[in-house]
Every structure is written in structure tokens, then in C-alpha cells.
Amino acid sequence: MDTLAWLAFASLAAWAWLLLGQGFFWRTDQRLPPTTRGMGHARGEPLGEPGAPIGGHACEEPDAPTVRHAREEPTAWPRVVVVVPARDEAGVLPLSLPSLLAQDYPGVAEVVLVDDGSTDGTGALAVELAGRCGGLPLTVASPGEPEPGWTGKLWALRHGMALARARGPEFLLLTDADIAHEPDSLRLLVSASMENDLDLVSQMARLRVESMWERLVVPAFVYFFAQLYPFRWINRARPRATAAAGGCVLLRTETAVAAGVPESIRQAVIDDVSLARAVRRAGGRIWLGLAERVDSVRPYPGLGELWRMVARSAYAQLRHSPLLLLGTVAGLVVVYLVPPVALVAGAATGNAPAAWAGGAAWAAMAGSYVPMLRHYRQPLWLAPLLPFTAFLYLLMTVDSAVQHHRGRGAAWKGRTYARPEAAPDR
């Protein structure tokens, strides 16, 4: 066999291992742990259809409500404070903040929004929305500019979590300003944590998928994340991986204190994974899965916005290591790019082994992508285009490394972290 055929068979072998030995990452059935409490309203109020996109204008009622059967609920619910770091989020806040204020939570809950140096009136808009929509109490605070050694979001979380802890909550819900929650979201998160004795419950919010670029890139983003951090491995009694999704994290307050967060991860660019690792080091139990009732409302209509979203942290994910970068590029080429090239080139030149192995690997790749496309309600014809999307991610990762070595590092919301280092363990 020639080089192309050997590469095609190497890719096919890699896919066999990925499908069977990487925690069944391609499956999408890791959802909130089952509970006997909080899964429905005791009074039988209407709830939105699970998995339906959350949207609409500020203070609107969810469309097409359905009624779930009531289940037994606890007699006492723990106090929760929702902490929302926000920087220049006036464009999405009307779609997200009212959903938090409207949480149907039986216990005591409130929202703390940390206006992190916004220049677009984010804080004033939050106050206006709270006055118009009512619901949970809202506090808007501002921490000032980050101190040296802090990334912006974690600096805002530090301020918000300190304010929250003064209220004596048992749980903190850390959620981004672009995340919209169905009315029962907080209830379900707390129920899952209490009944399964979890210290951190995190859901990968369903990202917006409307433009063509979003269809090509967004489902693959979650697919690649799950491949890197298989949810089953994270959720095992004896975990083999550790991660969280920063858009929606329910965290026990005592665990946050024991883990020393956010101080112990103050320099982290990939704050969600760093948070999960800090909690795990402190002995906490973690769960991560796909969300059905939590959506991101942030639009990424063009390739440029998506490119920046991925590139700002891709090289940090590789620990700023040139060797890991080379290995990642080689792996992406062999696993995702070789199969279509081998199939087409093999068929054109009569190289049957290369064509057969390349076609089989491409079919395995596309088949493994189908569950994620179904989760995002996207047409299945996008599955064979995964090699093209992987090529885009390869370019984004290389660009992330180039920007880092030019001293630009991770850039977001007008701030640049030229050469962020990992926060020291505590």
C-alpha cells in the first residue's frame, strides 16, 4: 500500500478508537440527572416544551406551553443567588435577564448582575428591565477595573460571589449574560444537585443556530468539546475527565469556599474548565450535560464572530505549547481531513484501499455527528461537511497561537490578555 492508503487506514483506526474508546462522546443523552422533586410544578402550571428555543421579547410569556405532571417536592428549598457577569451586553440582556427574574423557584432566590465596566448602558438597562418585568430581586453592582493577575470575567465573578455570599445562600448559579432560562430551570438544577449529592451541576447551553455559518460551526463546537471532555467520563463516580460549561453552573457555596474560587483560578482564560478542576481538587462531585431548557441568545451571524469566539481561547486550551499545537494540527489532519481526500483521490487514481478506508472513515465521522445535529435540529446533510468545519477549526487554532506569540493573546470585549498564565494551585 502507498502512503495515502496507510494514512486512510490510520484515520479509520482512529475513528474506531474514538467511537468505542472515548466515552461514547458522540451520544447526546447526558441530560440533567433524574429527580423525584422539582421536575414539574406542584400546582400544575404550564411549562415550555422541553428543548424548544427560548426567545421572544423582554417579559413575554413562553410560547406553546404544555403541562407536566406534578412530582413530590421538598418541603424546604435552599436559598440561591444568581450571579451574572456582564460587559457590554445591552444587545442580549432583554432576551436573557427577564428569564432569570421570572424563575419559578419555591425558595428564596435573587439575582446579582455585575456590570463589568460596560460602555453601552448594560447596568442601567438591567435596572430598567427589573422595574418593568418584576420577579426576583435584582442587585446591580460594579467592581471597577480588574486588578493585575485577573481576567475580566473572573474579576466580575469575584465581586458578585462576594456580594452573594453575604446573603448566606446554599447555592450560587453562575450564568452568563447571554443565557436565557426557562421558568423551571433553577428549580431543576437545584433538584438535581440536592437529590444526587452534586457540588457542581453544569449544562452546556444550546447555542443559537440560525445563520449558515452558525449551522456549520456551532454544533461542531459542542461536538468537539464533548470529544475532548466526554461527558460520561466527567459524570462517573470515578471520573476520567473534568470540565464544566461556563454559561450555566450551579455551585454549592461551601464547595466554592473550599475550592478557593474564583481566587484560585483568577488568571484562567478557560474559566469553566479551571473552575471544574478546582472543585474536583477540593473533593467536589461534578456533573456536566447538554441543556434542554437553557439557551444562548448571542448571535454569531458571520464567520468573523465565530472565528473570534473560538480563537480567543484555543491556544490556551493547548496550554500555549507549540508541541501540543503541532500534535493537534497533525491529529486534525489525519482524523478529519485525510478521509475525504483519500476517498476522492483513491477513486480518481484507482487506489482501492485508500478509497475504501477513506470512505469508511468519512462515513464513521459523519455518522457520529448525526446525534449532535439532531440535538440542534439541523439537517443531516451537514454531517458530511464536518471535515470542512474541522479545517476551519484547525485554522482558528493556528491563528490563536499566532496571536498569542504576537503578544495579543486572548482578546474579548475590548480586553486583551497577552500571555495569561495558569493560576497557582491552592
Side-chain angles (χ1 to χ4, degrees):
M1 292 192 300
D2 61 9
T3 300
L4 183 61
W6 278 114
L7 286 173
F9 275 100
S11 181
L12 181 59
W15 274 107
W17 179 81
L18 285 170
L19 293 178
L20 300 176
Q22 190 66 3
F24 296 101
F25 75 93
W26 42 274
R27 297 183 60 175
T28 57
D29 55 353
Q30 293 293 291
R31 310 298 171 91
L32 269 182
T35 66
T36 58
R37 56 174 94 161
M39 292 297 289
H41 288 246
R43 299 176 302 279
E45 292 96 330
L47 298 175
E49 185 67 27
I54 306 169
H57 300 289
C59 311
E60 281 187 353
E61 294 296 326
D63 295 332
T66 58
V67 177
R68 290 187 182 183
H69 296 294
R71 297 192 183 186
E72 180 184 355
E73 295 188 335
T75 56
W77 288 79
R79 178 187 290 265
V80 181
V81 176
V82 182
V83 180
V84 186
R87 178 174 171 84
D88 292 336
E89 297 287 11
V92 297
L93 214 58
L95 299 175
S96 59
L97 184 58
S99 74
L100 287 171
L101 300 175
Q103 284 302 296
D104 182 20
Y105 183 68
V108 177
E110 59 183 298
V111 180
V112 173
L113 184 139
V114 184
D115 183 6
D116 182 20
S118 299
T119 59
D120 64 351
T122 289
L125 177 59
V127 173
E128 177 189 338
L129 289 170
R132 187 194 318 163
C133 301
L136 300 183
L138 173 71
T139 299
V140 176
S142 179
E145 283 299 305
E147 293 180 355
W150 286 83
T151 56
K153 179 181 175 181
L154 288 171
W155 176 249
L157 280 177
R158 174 184 180 269
H159 190 72
M161 291 172 69
L163 291 175
R165 284 198 292 265
R167 274 82 161 170
E170 186 175 335
F171 286 95
L172 302 168
L173 175 60
L174 313 180
T175 185
D176 288 347
D178 65 328
I179 302 297
H181 295 250
E182 287 282 3
D184 60 342
S185 173
L186 181 57
R187 177 195 297 254
L188 296 177
L189 286 163
V190 171
S191 296
S193 179
M194 293 176 65
E195 193 151 317
N196 295 276
D197 193 25
L198 296 167
D199 296 283
L200 185 153
V201 178
S202 181
Q203 291 185 286
M204 178 73 71
R206 196 190 305 265
L207 305 178
R208 198 189 90 139
V209 180
E210 293 184 13
S211 72
M212 189 60 211
W213 283 114
E214 287 171 334
R215 290 187 170 91
L216 279 172
V217 175
V218 167
F221 176 82
V222 183
Y223 173 89
F224 292 142
F225 183 91
Q227 188 178 84
L228 190 61
Y229 302 106
F231 295 170
R232 275 181 174 74
W233 285 3
I234 295 168
N235 300 337
R236 291 174 53 174
R238 295 183 177 180
R240 296 179 59 187
T242 302
C248 178
V249 175
L250 184 76
L251 178 64
R252 288 186 188 269
T253 306
E254 63 179 0
T255 303
V257 173
V261 295
E263 288 80 6
S264 63
I265 59 170
R266 61 189 178 277
Q267 292 175 300
V269 174
I270 308 175
D271 54 271
D272 44 13
V273 175
S274 298
L275 171 62
R277 288 173 177 166
V279 169
R280 190 83 84 187
R281 285 196 299 269
R285 293 189 60 204
I286 291 174
W287 184 91
L288 171 64
L290 295 172
E292 293 180 310
R293 309 183 66 73
V294 179
D295 288 357
S296 172
V297 296
R298 187 182 304 283
Y300 293 98
L303 179 59
E305 295 90 345
L306 289 162
W307 192 290
R308 286 187 290 273
M309 185 264 289
V310 174
R312 70 187 177 96
S313 60
Y315 197 45
Q317 183 68 63
L318 301 177
R319 290 176 262 171
H320 307 106
S321 167
L323 288 178
L324 285 177
L325 175 66
L326 289 174
T328 298
V329 169
L332 287 171
V333 169
V334 172
V335 174
Y336 288 100
L337 304 187
V338 164
V341 171
L343 174 61
V344 174
T349 61
N351 188 338
W356 178 87
W362 196 0
M365 179 197 317
S368 72
Y369 193 36
V370 165
M372 189 61 69
L373 290 174
R374 285 178 172 163
H375 174 66
Y376 273 90
R377 301 183 186 85
Q378 295 304 302
L380 300 188
W381 58 261
L382 289 170
L385 300 183
L386 188 56
F388 172 73
T389 305
F391 179 63
L392 290 178
Y393 273 87
L394 185 156
L395 296 178
M396 294 172 190
T397 302
V398 171
D399 181 56
S400 179
V402 169
Q403 297 305 319
H404 172 80
H405 287 290
R406 287 179 175 175
R408 298 172 186 172
W412 189 248
K413 298 283 184 175
R415 289 185 179 133
T416 299
Y417 310 105
R419 295 183 183 276
E421 304 294 338
D425 292 342
R426 292 190 175 185

